[in-house]
Every structure is written in structure tokens, then in C-alpha cells.
Amino acid sequence: MRYLVPLITGAALVAGLASPAQAAPASNEWTADVSGRAVTWGGSPRTGLVELGTHRLAQPANAVTAAVTGDGVVDVRGLRADGQWTEWLEAPATLPVTTSTVETRVVLSSGKASKVRLTASKVPAAEDVSVAAAGRSYRVYATREGLVGGTTANGHVIRSRDHFVALPSRRGLANNNSGNYSVQVCASNGRCEWAPVWDVGPWNTKDDYWNPSTTREMWKDLPQGKPEAQAAYENNYNGGKDQFGREVANPAGIDLADGTFWDGLKLTNNAWVTVTYLWTGSGPVGTVRTSAANGTVNVRSGANSSSSQVGLAANYAQVRVTCQLTGESVSGTQGTSNVWYRIASGKHIAKAYVAGVSGATAC
């Protein structure tokens, strides 16, 4: 449950954005004009996001610095060899991988920015070797977000019975209408939903508790997988308060949109759930696509539509594919196919609704 109501989005007119044919040349020093770009305001506390897009580097790098003229800080992430992104890190940042492509965004707390100067370099650092095939998974307390009609931190306007989640760090905040950071969240009743991370919260905004202490942004003395709000609520950590000095009223480590809460997991009350942070894993990945913007795809116990429905996968959510098998032929947004993907033990989804999977092996 969220305690500060987000404000509805506001945007500036987009002007002077380069077309693909006018893409900037590869370089390790570049400047972005922010003044004419759209600003999306939302989330709680209220922040503004200015997406600066991707940039090709002339030389591979793992460190990025940024100088902002005006208000704001810069988030940066790097493209991994498997085509997935690292988490967003606030510049100056050392990325967990050396990369030739980075993406940046300006995060505003008030006011506006006019220009950003960025520099990428190679510095000594250990490469990330902690990525596990299944991704990191922790049991945390889930609350229902609600706030229909409000605007999330990435600019999404919340619909009735919506399908997304919020995590208390923008390091895992996906772009609007993207699932490049998605979770698998499972309830004790055996149901699961795959949903994109489209908001920041509950309670904190710099608590990437799924990361080890070496990279966790705040609360580094807490065990990996334990949200600060949980420690504050259960153990009076930080005097029982969140990062903003508010008294923590529940141990929540994830917020669920109403559709995820009621329809995906069939919850009736806030509850403990098991969350897998899918971007921390490896292996074949695909993106769920439905014809409706707020649509979902049934996840079934077997490779046919007569098998029991054991969960949902939201539009734009990413799914990790364990293997593929032949089953009932289904027609969907990606054509007609008799291939089904196993995305967890006893959980299957029709290929006809999943885009971009490559390298899946037979079950």
C-alpha cells in the first residue's frame, strides 16, 4: 500500500530529437541537450524522468560520469553480452560489465535541466559473475498499490485492475511500456504472475535489497534479501523508520497493482510472497505481448488450454524460458504455433503470445 499519492504526469513538448538516420557518432564523451525533451512526472515522492536514449561508445567502458546543468541526477545502465541490461546506477557509476552501449536518463526532483555532459571510461573493476540462471529469489511481504488514475514513477497511468509491481529502488525501474525489469511473484496458493516493474516503492526509493551488500545502495548492513521496511517493522531497524523518517507501518518489500493482486495471485489480503527478480538471471528470455494494452496471458500447468490456469503473465512482462515443448496449437499476437514455453516448474505459456525467445532447448 502506498502512503503518498503520486501526481498526474506532465510533459514538455518534444523537440530536436535525432532520427535514426541522424544518430550521434560513437564516442566516449558526449553532450545531451535536455531542454527540449519530454519530462514525465509521477511516482511517490514525485520525480521527473527525461529519457536520453542509448549511446554507442567508441571504446568499450565500464564507468560513466555525468555533469548536469540545472536540476537532477543521471542514471546509467549498460547493455550486457546477452542483450539484457544491467541495473540502473546513479552516475558517477561503475557498471558491472564492460560494454559498448549505454543508456541514460535524467531524474529530476524539482525544476529542470538544460544539458548533460557524459564521459565513459574503463576502470579496474571485477566483472559481474554472480548472475544465476534462475535469478535471485526472496520471500517478502506484498501490499496492494491501488491508486487507480495516478501516475507511476515511469509515467504509466494506473488503470483499473492493472498489472505491474513496484520495488523500492529505481535501479530496477523499467521504461514505460517495457518489461526489461520484470519479476515472477508467487503466492502461497501456488499461483504466480510475471509482471513489469513500473513504479518505485513501497516506503523507500533506494533499497535494492535483492543485491549483495557490496552493491546495495543503502542499508548495506542488512542481510541480502531483507527489505529495510521489514527490518524497521520487525526489528526497529533505523528507529522503525524508512529513509524519509516515516514510521513504517508494515514490512512491505513489494507493491502489487490491483490486477496482479486480485487476478494474478488471487489474494484478498496483503501477504508474504516469493519474488524472483528476473533480470538477475540468465538464459533465454521473451516478452509477453497481448492485443490489449492492459492484457494478460494465461499461464497453465501443461502445454494446452485445458490444463489448469496457475497464473498470469502481463503485457510487456519478460519471462525466463527454462525449455520448450510441443502442445496444443494456439493463435496469438505472435502468430500460430504449437510450441509452449516452460517458464517455471509446472508453469507454461503459449509461444503465440511471447516475442523474442532465442536459444530455448527442448524439455
Side-chain angles (χ1 to χ4, degrees), residues 152-195:
T152 68
N154 76 352
H156 172 71
V157 178
I158 301 173
R159 304 180 179 95
S160 176
R161 296 189 104 90
D162 218 334
H163 291 267
F164 66 88
V165 306
L167 293 175
S169 168
R170 69 172 189 266
R171 287 184 168 185
L173 178 65
N175 308 80
N176 196 6
N177 295 331
S178 165
N180 43 38
Y181 303 102
S182 293
V183 297
Q184 171 191 319
V185 54
C186 299
S188 59
N189 60 14
R191 292 184 62 84
C192 300
E193 177 160 316
W194 285 254

Side-chain angles (χ1 to χ4, degrees), residues 26 49 61 96 151 180 183 213 231 237 268 301 312 329 351 357:
L49 287 184
T151 304
N180 43 38
V183 297
S213 59
Y237 181 85
T268 55
S301 60
L312 296 174
S329 182
K351 178 185 177 182
V357 177

Side-chain angles (χ1 to χ4, degrees), residues 19 23 37 90 102 184 193 231 235 258 270 275 295 313 332 342 359:
S19 67
R37 296 179 184 254
E90 187 176 311
V102 296
Q184 171 191 319
E193 177 160 316
N235 312 116
D258 290 356
N270 297 335
V275 181
R342 182 171 295 159

Side-chain angles (χ1 to χ4, degrees), residues 6-11 39-43 46-47 149-152 154-157:
L7 299 181
I8 304 302
T9 193
V39 182
T40 300
W41 292 96
R46 182 178 185 254
T47 57
T151 304
T152 68
N154 76 352
H156 172 71
V157 178

Side-chain angles (χ1 to χ4, degrees), residues 132-136 181-184 194-195 276-282 317-320 343:
R136 297 171 189 151
Y181 303 102
S182 293
V183 297
Q184 171 191 319
W194 285 254
T276 303
Y277 310 84
L278 295 172
W279 65 92
T280 67
S282 60
Q318 283 194 341
V319 294
R320 287 283 178 188
I343 54 178

Side-chain angles (χ1 to χ4, degrees), residues 95-267:
L95 300 171
V97 297
T98 298
T99 182
S100 295
T101 303
V102 296
E103 184 172 0
T104 54
R105 65 188 182 192
V106 178
V107 183
L108 305 174
S109 56
S110 61
K112 58 183 180 180
S114 59
K115 184 172 65 175
V116 178
R117 183 178 298 276
L118 300 117
T119 303
S121 60
K122 183 74 169 68
V123 301
E127 294 286 304
D128 185 3
V129 294
S130 64
V131 173
R136 297 171 189 151
S137 184
Y138 296 104
R139 184 172 179 266
V140 298
Y141 193 71
T143 50
R144 184 176 65 84
E145 176 153 346
L147 301 177
V148 174
T151 304
T152 68
N154 76 352
H156 172 71
V157 178
I158 301 173
R159 304 180 179 95
S160 176
R161 296 189 104 90
D162 218 334
H163 291 267
F164 66 88
V165 306
L167 293 175
S169 168
R170 69 172 189 266
R171 287 184 168 185
L173 178 65
N175 308 80
N176 196 6
N177 295 331
S178 165
N180 43 38
Y181 303 102
S182 293
V183 297
Q184 171 191 319
V185 54
C186 299
S188 59
N189 60 14
R191 292 184 62 84
C192 300
E193 177 160 316
W194 285 254
V197 183
W198 281 356
D199 207 359
V200 178
W203 297 110
N204 295 304
T205 63
K206 294 189 175 183
D207 187 20
D208 51 324
Y209 58 81
W210 53 88
N211 283 327
S213 59
T214 52
T215 58
R216 189 169 179 168
E217 187 171 8
M218 291 182 71
W219 327 117
K220 293 176 179 290
D221 57 332
L222 287 176
Q224 184 177 0
K226 187 166 190 174
E228 188 275 341
Q230 180 182 343
Y233 183 79
E234 294 178 343
N235 312 116
N236 202 39
Y237 181 85
N238 193 41
K241 295 178 170 58
D242 67 5
Q243 76 182 74
F244 303 103
R246 299 176 297 184
E247 197 78 25
V248 173
N250 61 53
I254 188 170
D255 268 343
L256 309 178
D258 290 356
T260 303
F261 189 94
W262 286 324
D263 304 324
L265 301 186
K266 300 293 186 184
L267 296 176

